[in-house]
Amino acid sequence: MVRFSPLTGTAGLLFFILSAFLAFSVWYGCETQNPETVDFNTEVRPILNAQCLACHGGVRQAGGFSLLFPEEALEQTESGKSALVPGHPDASEMMTRILHHDPEMRMPLESDPLSDKEAEIIRRWIEQGAQWDVHWAYIAPQPVDLPAVRDKNWPKNGIDAFILNRLENEKLTPSKKADCGTLIRRVGLDLIGLPPSPDDVRSFCADPSDEAYEYHVNKLLESPHFGERWAAMWLDLARYADSKGYEKDPHRSIWRYRDWVIHAFNRDLPFDRFTIEQLAGDLLDEPDDEQLIATAFHRNTMTNTEGGTDDEEFRIAAVVDRVNTTWEVWQGTTMACVQCHSHPYDPFRHEDYFRFFAFLNNTEDADRDDEAPLFSEYTNEQLKQLETLSARIDSLHQIKETSVFQTISHSTHEDVSVAVDSLITRTEQQKRDIRPVTTPIIRELAESEQRTTRFFEGGNWLAQTFEVQPGVPASLNPFPADAPNNRLGVAQWLMNPNNPLTSRVIVNRFWDQVFGRGIVETIEDFGTQGSPPSHPELLDWLALRFMNEHEWSVKSLLKEIVMSATYRQSSSVTHNHLYRDPDNILLARAPRFRLSAEQVRDKTLFVSGLLSPKLFGPSVMPPQPEGIWRNPYSNMAWITSEGEDRYRRGIYTYLRRTAPYPSMLTFDGTSREVCVSRRVRTNTPLQALVLLNDPVYVEAAIALAGRMYEQGGKELDVQLKEGFFMALARDPNHDELTELRNFYSHILDEFNRSPGDAAVFMETEETPDLHLASLALTASVILNLDSFVMKE
């Protein structure tokens, strides 16, 4: 073997330097000549949105340069220079301005310069051809395979495969399964908005098997209260209220629409039909009464009945609201931005807004006091009266056909008049008693009366310019060739399997309701400024299953979610989970968050035994403070409901837009003047004050104490345990029981010293049973516990 001597001295040093230089040259050449491809959506788009589009987008095109659409970006600017020359960053004025040393010339103006990293990303993007990628939400969902997981035993269904795959990649493990009481309480609150009865809890905990759990889930899905829980979510989107809005805010009879929504969820009306009937039920072939009532979805817009207002201005305002609501509800798109200019960040042009506006601009309704067109129907009592009248008229027709008709014709006409008088829209009270129930509905104008829609310059209805034809944005799926060019066609376009947004957006809404956060957190905005999905493959998998396997069945979708192991986890937090994932985006534990305003009320009444199971009907008026409705422009009065109507579910509470029911507003209920996708959850002292002092909650505490007294026997500890179990579906631990016992003893001592205070609390003139009064205040404490108002 031939041996070579190692280089030494100067020659060796020169060889080392040369080798290092060659190695550096190879590395540098790889880095500069073959850089990794820049990803437009994850690397470039965030920079453009944050730093450039405010001046060079849909609102403004400073210098004649816009980065919203690629064809606009490649046009020459007002200076005659090309801002973007694909493949040539040094020839691109955009790159020159980004790197310019003069602050007056450097972009972005009046802002910090781009970081070296951001500038390099832009440079490489231009060098690689300045390609635009379509935002993920505007690409139709594609079939995805279930990901592989190491723990084969944990998943219950496909949802769990996606969740566990992400957790394993993050080196996290799921939480243990929730205890039986917590789980059955959780699924009851999620599916019907009510907790389980103590008997249901004990029955399930005696056999907490998968089969028993599925049986209980199916029972909840078939409950008539399922629709009440999910209608509450939908009515926020539909901006449902019992008044017309604006300053005068008079009454509006539209509760039959609310009942339609409840019934639709109860009968699991497929979501595509649910959509079509609300947007265009009147345009279906021979629509039935229910399909006409469904169109009241878009009659929930506000009407300005004050003197001196321009009816056409507020009719247009209603149509604008319908455009914005349709896009937010079904497309998760902030189309409201496009009324005045092209969208600042998303691929929707100014003209797109008014082309879509044209679809909704040809309905009969206008900004009128009479709310026409109206659907009228009769109550059961009215139907009986009509049957009687009809029979009377039939008999009179028979008399008319006899030979003696001529001699009694005068009296016959009088009889008809008497029969009609007995029915009649004689005193004002009688008229109110028999007046048909009316519901504002949508009805299309006759073809000869169709309006011409024009482009609003800058969104100003007084600056209408050229005529536009109905259409949808070119950036989304095309309008179906066989669809009618009207609202029915719009509904079919929205529910078309090729629409990239609808199924994703709707699935995400239901996920948000169950888990407290959507897979896309910004459930109202799937655009480029919205949050990216935490589990994009799961979102697409669910969206496709919702359309195909579940055939738009909401109940099937929800069952799949609540049957998952992901849903059934404990909400207990470990230090590792809190450190690694404080917001629980990865779902290594079940979420824990406060119940909605309606659920807090409904749960309290249910636990106390006061809740009325009555479904449907006109809105009710439970107790509220005096003076809330004081309004110089209206003589409407809050008349507190009596009997069981005082204790109806929150969804039936009368909602006046200018003065919503205050206790629910305190728990983040809405005024429903506009579509609301997400209620912001707050935590304020006012909420505790409502739970302690509002008449409904005081009455509930007294009623709960009565149940504790009746079902708990004579021993205080048993009574306390019974109340705790009713409220939280579990027994109190030693410390909790001790605290409740001590509180009871303290209150009993206070009431013994001052029995009058007990009488005031129990709302009685005589001295009440002090034990029951003390138990009632203790029950109030239970109803104020953090765990009681939370879903755990």
Side-chain angles (χ1 to χ4, degrees):
M1 181 173 64
V2 178
R3 291 180 178 272
F4 293 91
S5 300
L7 293 173
T8 58
T10 304
L13 181 60
L14 288 173
F15 178 79
F16 175 79
I17 293 173
L18 180 61
S19 300
F21 176 75
L22 290 173
F24 174 79
S25 298
V26 170
W27 171 83
Y28 182 78
C30 289
E31 288 294 304
T32 56
Q33 299 300 318
N34 298 299
E36 292 183 4
T37 301
V38 174
D39 183 82
F40 178 80
N41 278 332
T42 62
E43 296 182 88
V44 178
R45 193 189 295 278
I47 299 173
L48 300 184
N49 283 0
Q51 303 288 356
C52 307
L53 286 177
C55 295
H56 303 286
V59 182
R60 297 174 58 199
Q61 291 86 40
F65 177 47
S66 171
L67 281 160
L68 188 58
F69 295 96
E71 61 272 23
E72 293 177 347
L74 296 176
E75 294 174 355
Q76 279 196 341
T77 64
E78 291 176 356
S79 68
K81 298 179 181 178
S82 296
L84 270 181
V85 182
H88 303 281
D90 293 338
S92 300
E93 183 67 11
M94 178 181 180
M95 203 68 230
T96 301
R97 291 300 192 94
I98 286 173
L99 299 176
H100 208 288
H101 66 278
D102 184 352
E104 298 296 321
M105 298 291 291
R106 185 178 58 226
M107 295 293 170
L109 281 174
E110 301 178 2
S111 180
D112 293 333
L114 298 188
S115 68
D116 290 345
K117 181 179 179 181
E118 290 172 328
E120 177 59 15
I121 289 172
I122 298 297
R123 189 195 66 77
R124 287 168 52 209
W125 171 62
I126 298 173
E127 187 175 64
Q128 294 170 9
Q131 295 294 314
W132 260 257
D133 292 335
V134 176
H135 181 54
W136 67 268
Y138 307 136
I139 303 171
Q142 301 299 312
V144 289
D145 295 327
L146 295 182
V149 295
R150 291 189 289 276
D151 183 352
K152 309 293 184 185
N153 296 321
W154 188 75
K156 300 285 187 184
N157 58 28
I159 291 172
D160 300 325
F162 291 99
I163 297 297
L164 184 59
N165 175 263
R166 180 79 186 276
L167 290 176
E168 288 179 341
N169 289 339
E170 299 285 342
K171 295 184 170 49
L172 289 170
T173 56
S175 297
K176 65 180 182 179
K177 185 178 177 180
D179 65 79
C180 58
T182 298
L183 182 57
I184 194 174
R185 175 177 176 267
R186 177 192 299 167
V187 76
L189 291 170
D190 276 332
L191 292 185
I192 67 171
L194 297 173
S197 69
D199 287 344
D200 284 338
V201 177
R202 293 184 178 107
S203 174
F204 178 64
C205 287
D207 174 24
S209 64
D210 285 356
E211 293 75 18
Y213 177 66
E214 184 173 16
Y215 171 83
H216 187 71
V217 167
N218 288 336
K219 184 178 173 183
L220 292 171
L221 291 170
E222 293 305 312
S223 167
H225 301 299
F226 174 86
E228 293 173 318
R229 184 267 181 265
W230 290 99
M233 173 200 78
W234 191 257
L235 296 184
D236 270 2
L237 299 172
R239 64 270 194 247
Y240 168 85
D242 296 292
S243 65
K244 299 179 184 179
Y246 295 110
E247 189 173 13
K248 193 173 181 182
D249 201 23
H251 170 74
R252 169 182 282 160
S253 173
I254 199 169
W255 58 266
R256 283 288 284 113
Y257 168 73
R258 177 248 288 144
D259 286 0
W260 180 89
V261 176
I262 295 172
H263 185 51
F265 276 114
N266 275 341
R267 61 192 169 109
D268 201 18
L269 182 66
F271 195 84
D272 54 347
R273 294 299 304 176
F274 183 75
T275 295
I276 289 168
E277 292 185 13
Q278 289 183 88
L279 294 181
D282 60 307
L283 296 175
L284 297 172
D285 292 336
E286 298 183 2
D288 60 28
D289 292 353
E290 292 293 300
Q291 290 166 334
L292 292 176
I293 290 171
T295 66
F297 173 86
H298 268 329
R299 291 304 306 278
N300 283 307
T301 48
M302 296 192 293
T303 300
N304 197 333
T305 60
E306 296 170 34
T309 57
D310 189 310
D311 287 343
E312 179 63 4
E313 177 184 2
F314 287 96
R315 185 196 72 81
I316 287 175
V319 180
V320 165
D321 176 83
R322 290 167 190 168
V323 172
N324 300 343
T325 296
T326 302
W327 278 88
E328 180 170 341
V329 171
W330 279 277
Q331 301 291 272
T333 297
T334 54
M335 188 56 80
C337 299
V338 190
Q339 180 188 350
C340 301
H341 46 70
S342 292
H343 201 289
Y345 306 104
D346 297 331
F348 304 112
R349 299 180 184 276
H350 195 5
E351 188 176 333
D352 289 338
Y353 190 93
F354 295 99
R355 295 178 68 214
F356 196 87
F357 183 100
F359 284 121
L360 305 180
N361 195 30
N362 280 301
T363 58
E364 288 185 13
D365 60 281
D367 193 64
R368 297 190 298 259
D369 287 2
D370 63 9
E371 296 259 272
L374 296 168
F375 175 79
S376 297
E377 55 186 326
Y378 297 94
T379 64
N380 289 336
E381 183 60 33
Q382 291 163 352
L383 288 173
K384 290 178 183 177
Q385 294 183 49
L386 286 174
E387 288 174 5
T388 302
L389 177 61
S390 179
R392 178 63 177 153
I393 291 173
D394 287 344
S395 68
L396 295 176
H397 280 305
Q398 292 175 6
I399 294 173
K400 180 179 178 180
E401 293 173 0
T402 67
S403 59
V404 297
F405 174 73
Q406 295 297 327
T407 64
I408 63 170
S409 59
H410 180 70
S411 63
T412 298
H413 289 299
E414 285 186 345
D415 284 344
V416 171
S417 297
V418 170
V420 171
D421 284 345
S422 70
L423 181 65
I424 302 176
T425 61
R426 297 169 182 170
T427 67
E428 286 304 312
Q429 183 60 45
Q430 288 172 328
K431 289 178 181 178
R432 281 195 294 271
D433 289 342
I434 65 173
R435 183 177 295 142
V437 175
T438 60
T439 304
I441 59 171
I442 291 287
R443 191 160 59 208
E444 197 80 347
L445 285 168
E447 189 170 344
S448 60
E449 300 174 3
Q450 297 272 300
R451 299 183 181 95
T452 297
T453 299
R454 298 185 179 279
F455 181 82
F456 294 6
E457 190 68 43
N460 182 356
W461 76 282
L462 294 175
Q464 300 185 32
T465 56
F466 58 88
E467 182 177 345
V468 296
Q469 297 302 316
V472 295
S475 54
L476 296 179
N477 56 305
F479 199 78
D482 57 347
N485 204 32
N486 55 23
R487 284 179 288 111
L488 180 58
V490 168
Q492 293 171 353
W493 173 75
L494 288 170
M495 304 315 296
N496 191 293
N498 293 322
N499 188 297
L501 287 165
T502 303
S503 187
R504 282 185 180 125
V505 167
I506 300 305
V507 161
N508 194 58
R509 289 192 183 283
F510 287 106
W511 187 274
D512 170 79
Q513 287 286 308
V514 173
F515 287 102
R517 175 197 292 267
I519 296 174
V520 175
E521 183 179 6
T522 52
I523 59 177
E524 72 287 351
D525 186 5
F526 271 52
T528 62
Q529 287 290 86
S531 303
S534 59
H535 298 79
E537 295 83 7
L538 171 59
L539 180 61
D540 282 4
W541 184 82
L542 284 171
L544 289 172
R545 282 183 66 79
F546 187 41
M547 288 189 290
N548 301 325
E549 281 79 8
H550 296 319
E551 297 181 326
W552 298 105
S553 165
V554 169
K555 288 187 177 182
S556 296
L557 170 67
L558 288 171
K559 180 176 179 179
E560 186 158 41
I561 291 173
V562 301
M563 290 300 296
S564 68
T566 303
Y567 177 82
R568 297 194 230 180
Q569 295 178 98
S570 167
S571 62
S572 298
V573 183
T574 67
H575 290 296
N576 186 42
H577 285 167
L578 196 59
Y579 174 74
R580 297 282 303 282
D581 185 20
D583 295 324
N584 199 26
I585 293 172
L586 302 180
L587 291 176
R589 61 186 182 277
R592 185 179 188 276
F593 53 89
R594 206 207 63 230
L595 300 172
S596 71
E598 292 87 349
Q599 288 174 325
V600 171
R601 173 189 170 82
D602 296 347
K603 185 178 180 225
T604 301
L605 292 175
F606 179 86
V607 167
S608 71
L610 292 176
L611 183 66
S612 165
K614 181 179 174 183
L615 281 81
F616 310 126
S619 297
V620 297
M621 297 181 177
Q624 76 169 9
E626 293 291 333
I628 297 293
W629 273 23
R630 191 173 293 125
N631 186 329
Y633 302 103
S634 173
N635 59 0
M636 290 175 65
W638 183 274
I639 303 173
T640 303
S641 299
E642 300 294 334
E644 69 174 323
D645 280 352
R646 186 182 180 100
Y647 306 114
R648 297 287 303 277
R649 290 194 69 165
I651 193 173
Y652 300 111
T653 299
Y654 195 103
L655 196 156
R656 190 178 188 188
R657 286 181 161 120
T658 54
Y661 189 57
S663 75
M664 285 203 281
L665 201 62
T666 302
F667 283 96
D668 309 315
T670 66
S671 61
R672 297 210 178 120
E673 293 169 295
V674 294
C675 171
V676 175
S677 287
R678 281 193 292 172
R679 293 187 185 181
V680 177
R681 295 188 195 93
T682 62
N683 184 11
T684 74
L686 288 177
Q687 293 164 358
L689 292 173
V690 166
L691 294 176
L692 286 169
N693 299 295
D694 185 278
V696 171
Y697 293 97
V698 172
E699 292 172 26
I702 294 172
L704 177 57
R707 296 187 71 194
M708 295 162 65
Y709 189 80
E710 292 171 5
Q711 300 180 30
K714 295 183 179 180
E715 293 186 22
L716 174 63
D717 280 7
V718 178
Q719 294 171 351
L720 295 175
K721 287 180 180 179
E722 192 69 25
F724 197 95
F725 194 89
M726 291 177 191
L728 297 174
R730 67 174 177 86
D731 291 320
N733 60 37
H734 178 269
D735 291 341
E736 290 167 335
L737 183 60
T738 299
E739 289 288 337
L740 290 174
R741 190 191 307 118
N742 290 342
F743 179 83
Y744 166 86
S745 299
H746 172 73
I747 292 300
L748 182 60
D749 289 343
E750 291 287 329
F751 282 165
N752 277 321
R753 285 194 293 270
S754 180
D757 290 344
V760 170
F761 179 74
M762 299 295 283
E763 297 182 339
T764 178
E765 294 182 359
E766 300 178 354
T767 301
D769 180 332
L770 297 186
H771 165 66
L772 187 60
S774 302
L775 205 59
L777 261 179
T778 308
S780 180
V781 170
I782 293 173
L783 297 178
N784 271 269
L785 291 174
D786 179 70
S787 293
F788 182 77
V789 298
M790 301 290 283
K791 189 187 82 168
E792 299 182 309

